[in-house]
């Protein structure tokens, strides 16, 4: 499964989200929401090699686990 070497389309979107969380508008979202979200994203519907994003809207952090 060499698909993991390719960048997911969602990577660009989540990088934009990470940048947005550092702005004043992003800080307002952090103050309003205050939840932690975890997204599991794979290249195909049924795939065990997935990338996991943790979006922490309590601390304003976005972490990527996997490649």
């Amino acid at each position: 499964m060499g698909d993991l070497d390719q960048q997911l389309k969602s990577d660009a979107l989540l990088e934009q989200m990470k940048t947005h969380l550092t702005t004043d508008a992003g800080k307002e979202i952090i103050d309003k929401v205050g939840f932690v979200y975890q997204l599991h994203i794979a290249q195909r519907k049924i795939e065990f090699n997935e990338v996991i994003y943790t979006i922490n809207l309590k601390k304003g952090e976005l972490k990527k686990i996997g490649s």
Side-chain angles (χ1 to χ4, degrees):
M1 295 195 174
D3 291 336
L4 285 178
D5 297 335
Q6 297 176 356
Q7 186 174 10
L8 294 169
K9 292 179 182 178
S10 56
D11 284 343
L13 175 66
L14 289 161
E15 282 300 316
Q16 287 179 350
M17 183 183 293
K18 186 176 187 178
T19 303
H20 182 71
L21 290 176
T22 62
T23 66
D24 291 336
K27 291 176 184 172
E28 286 181 31
I29 292 171
I30 293 166
D31 291 338
K32 288 181 184 178
V33 178
F35 288 106
V36 178
Y37 296 94
Q38 190 173 53
L39 305 174
H40 295 250
I41 302 174
Q43 289 281 344
R44 294 178 180 77
K45 287 184 181 180
I46 301 174
E47 187 171 317
F48 297 103
N49 298 325
E50 59 189 12
V51 176
I52 301 170
Y53 285 95
T54 303
I55 305 165
N56 187 336
L57 293 179
K58 290 182 178 183
K59 298 180 181 178
E61 298 174 346
L62 191 143
K63 294 182 182 176
K64 177 180 176 181
I65 301 170
S67 48

